[in-house]
Coordinates of all heavy atoms in Angstrom, one line a residue:
V48 N -2.6 -23.3 -1.3 CA -1.8 -22.1 -1.4 C -0.7 -22.2 -0.3 O -1.0 -22.6 0.8 CB -2.7 -20.9 -1.1 CG1 -1.9 -19.6 -1.1 CG2 -3.8 -20.8 -2.1
L49 N 0.5 -21.8 -0.7 CA 1.6 -21.9 0.3 C 1.7 -20.6 1.2 O 1.6 -19.5 0.6 CB 3.0 -22.1 -0.5 CG 4.1 -22.5 0.4 CD1 4.0 -23.9 1.0 CD2 5.5 -22.4 -0.3
L50 N 1.8 -20.8 2.5 CA 2.0 -19.7 3.4 C 3.5 -19.3 3.3 O 4.4 -20.1 3.3 CB 1.6 -20.1 4.8 CG 0.2 -20.5 5.1 CD1 0.0 -20.7 6.6 CD2 -0.8 -19.5 4.5
V51 N 3.7 -17.9 3.3 CA 5.1 -17.4 3.3 C 5.2 -16.2 4.2 O 4.2 -15.6 4.6 CB 5.5 -17.0 1.8 CG1 5.5 -18.1 0.9 CG2 4.6 -15.8 1.3
R52 N 6.4 -15.9 4.6 CA 6.7 -14.8 5.4 C 7.7 -13.9 4.7 O 8.8 -14.3 4.4 CB 7.3 -15.3 6.7 CG 7.8 -14.2 7.7 CD 8.3 -14.8 9.0 NE 9.4 -15.7 8.8 CZ 10.7 -15.3 8.7 NH1 11.0 -14.0 8.7 NH2 11.7 -16.3 8.5
P53 N 7.3 -12.6 4.5 CA 8.2 -11.7 3.8 C 9.4 -11.4 4.7 O 9.3 -11.3 6.0 CB 7.4 -10.4 3.7 CG 5.9 -10.8 3.8 CD 5.9 -12.0 4.7
T54 N 10.6 -11.4 4.1 CA 11.9 -11.2 4.9 C 12.6 -10.0 4.4 O 13.6 -9.6 5.0 CB 12.8 -12.4 4.7 OG1 13.0 -12.6 3.3 CG2 12.2 -13.7 5.2
G55 N 12.1 -9.3 3.4 CA 12.8 -8.1 2.9 C 12.1 -7.7 1.6 O 11.1 -8.3 1.2
E56 N 12.6 -6.6 1.0 CA 11.9 -6.1 -0.3 C 12.0 -7.2 -1.3 O 13.1 -7.6 -1.8 CB 12.6 -4.9 -0.7 CG 11.8 -4.3 -1.9 CD 12.4 -2.9 -2.4 OE1 13.4 -2.5 -1.7 OE2 11.9 -2.3 -3.3
G57 N 10.8 -7.7 -1.8 CA 10.8 -8.7 -2.8 C 11.3 -10.1 -2.4 O 11.5 -10.9 -3.3
Q58 N 11.4 -10.3 -1.1 CA 11.9 -11.6 -0.6 C 10.9 -12.2 0.4 O 10.2 -11.5 1.2 CB 13.2 -11.4 0.1 CG 14.3 -10.8 -0.8 CD 14.8 -11.8 -1.8 OE1 14.6 -13.0 -1.7 NE2 15.6 -11.3 -2.8
F59 N 10.8 -13.5 0.3 CA 10.0 -14.2 1.3 C 10.5 -15.6 1.5 O 11.2 -16.2 0.7 CB 8.5 -14.3 0.9 CG 8.2 -14.9 -0.5 CD1 8.2 -16.2 -0.7 CD2 8.0 -14.0 -1.6 CE1 7.9 -16.8 -1.9 CE2 7.7 -14.6 -2.8 CZ 7.7 -16.0 -3.0
T60 N 10.1 -16.3 2.6 CA 10.4 -17.7 2.8 C 9.2 -18.4 3.4 O 8.2 -17.8 3.5 CB 11.6 -17.7 3.8 OG1 12.1 -19.1 3.9 CG2 11.2 -17.2 5.2
T61 N 9.4 -19.7 3.6 CA 8.3 -20.5 4.1 C 8.0 -20.2 5.6 O 8.8 -19.6 6.3 CB 8.6 -22.0 4.0 OG1 9.9 -22.3 4.6 CG2 8.6 -22.4 2.5
V62 N 6.8 -20.7 6.1 CA 6.4 -20.5 7.5 C 6.6 -21.9 8.1 O 5.7 -22.7 8.0 CB 5.0 -20.0 7.6 CG1 4.6 -19.9 9.1 CG2 4.9 -18.6 6.9
N63 N 7.7 -22.2 8.8 CA 8.0 -23.5 9.2 C 7.4 -23.8 10.6 O 8.1 -23.8 11.6 CB 9.5 -23.7 9.2 CG 10.1 -23.6 7.9 OD1 9.4 -23.9 6.9 ND2 11.3 -23.2 7.8
E64 N 6.1 -23.9 10.6 CA 5.3 -24.2 11.8 C 4.4 -25.4 11.6 O 4.3 -26.0 10.5 CB 4.4 -23.0 12.2 CG 5.2 -21.8 12.6 CD 6.0 -21.9 13.9 OE1 5.6 -22.8 14.7 OE2 7.0 -21.2 14.1
H65 N 3.8 -25.9 12.7 CA 2.9 -27.0 12.7 C 1.6 -26.7 12.0 O 0.9 -27.6 11.4 CB 2.7 -27.6 14.1 CG 1.9 -28.9 14.1 ND1 2.5 -30.0 13.6 CD2 0.7 -29.2 14.6 CE1 1.6 -31.0 13.8 NE2 0.5 -30.6 14.3
G66 N 1.1 -25.4 12.1 CA -0.1 -25.1 11.4 C -1.3 -25.8 12.1 O -2.3 -26.1 11.5
G67 N -1.3 -25.9 13.4 CA -2.3 -26.7 14.2 C -3.7 -26.1 14.2 O -4.6 -26.8 14.6
G68 N -3.8 -24.8 13.9 CA -5.2 -24.2 14.1 C -5.3 -23.0 13.3 O -4.3 -22.2 13.1
L69 N -6.5 -22.7 12.8 CA -6.9 -21.5 12.0 C -8.1 -20.8 12.6 O -9.0 -21.5 13.2 CB -7.1 -21.9 10.6 CG -6.0 -22.5 9.8 CD1 -6.6 -22.9 8.4 CD2 -4.8 -21.7 9.6
A70 N -8.2 -19.5 12.4 CA -9.4 -18.7 12.7 C -9.4 -17.6 11.8 O -8.5 -16.8 11.6 CB -9.4 -18.2 14.2
W71 N -10.6 -17.4 11.1 CA -10.7 -16.4 10.0 C -11.6 -15.3 10.5 O -12.8 -15.5 10.8 CB -11.3 -17.1 8.8 CG -11.6 -16.3 7.6 CD1 -11.4 -14.9 7.4 CD2 -12.2 -16.7 6.4 NE1 -11.8 -14.6 6.2 CE2 -12.3 -15.6 5.5 CE3 -12.7 -18.0 6.0 CZ2 -12.9 -15.7 4.2 CZ3 -13.2 -18.1 4.7 CH2 -13.3 -17.0 3.9
F72 N -11.1 -14.0 10.5 CA -11.9 -12.9 10.9 C -11.6 -11.8 9.8 O -10.5 -11.4 9.6 CB -11.5 -12.3 12.3 CG -12.0 -13.1 13.4 CD1 -11.2 -14.1 13.9 CD2 -13.2 -12.8 14.0 CE1 -11.7 -14.9 15.0 CE2 -13.7 -13.6 15.1 CZ -12.9 -14.6 15.6
G73 N -12.7 -11.3 9.2 CA -12.5 -10.3 8.1 C -11.6 -10.8 7.0 O -11.8 -11.8 6.4
D74 N -10.6 -10.0 6.8 CA -9.6 -10.4 5.8 C -8.4 -11.1 6.4 O -7.4 -11.4 5.7 CB -9.1 -9.1 5.0 CG -10.2 -8.5 4.2 OD1 -10.9 -9.2 3.5 OD2 -10.3 -7.2 4.2
Y75 N -8.4 -11.3 7.7 CA -7.2 -11.9 8.3 C -7.5 -13.4 8.7 O -8.5 -13.8 9.2 CB -6.9 -11.1 9.6 CG -6.5 -9.7 9.4 CD1 -7.0 -8.7 10.1 CD2 -5.5 -9.4 8.4 CE1 -6.6 -7.4 9.8 CE2 -5.1 -8.2 8.1 CZ -5.6 -7.1 8.9 OH -5.2 -5.8 8.6
L76 N -6.4 -14.2 8.4 CA -6.4 -15.6 8.8 C -5.4 -15.7 9.9 O -4.2 -15.5 9.7 CB -6.0 -16.4 7.6 CG -5.9 -17.9 7.8 CD1 -7.3 -18.5 8.2 CD2 -5.4 -18.7 6.6
Y77 N -5.8 -16.1 11.1 CA -4.9 -16.4 12.2 C -4.5 -17.8 12.2 O -5.3 -18.7 12.0 CB -5.7 -16.0 13.5 CG -5.9 -14.6 13.8 CD1 -7.0 -14.0 13.2 CD2 -5.1 -13.8 14.5 CE1 -7.3 -12.6 13.4 CE2 -5.3 -12.5 14.8 CZ -6.4 -11.9 14.2 OH -6.7 -10.5 14.4

């Protein structure tokens, strides 16, 4: 699944980071 960042109504772009770590709590993925 591709991570995206909303930039406006009906608009999004990619998340240009290293993605070096994850932590999952409830419905949220850090």
Side-chain angles (χ1 to χ4, degrees):
V48 178
L49 192 69
L50 299 188
V51 298
R52 176 177 59 84
T54 57
E56 185 177 1
Q58 300 288 345
F59 57 79
T60 188
T61 53
V62 178
N63 299 330
E64 293 293 338
H65 188 67
L69 300 176
W71 177 5
F72 285 91
D74 293 314
Y75 294 132
L76 179 65
Y77 291 80

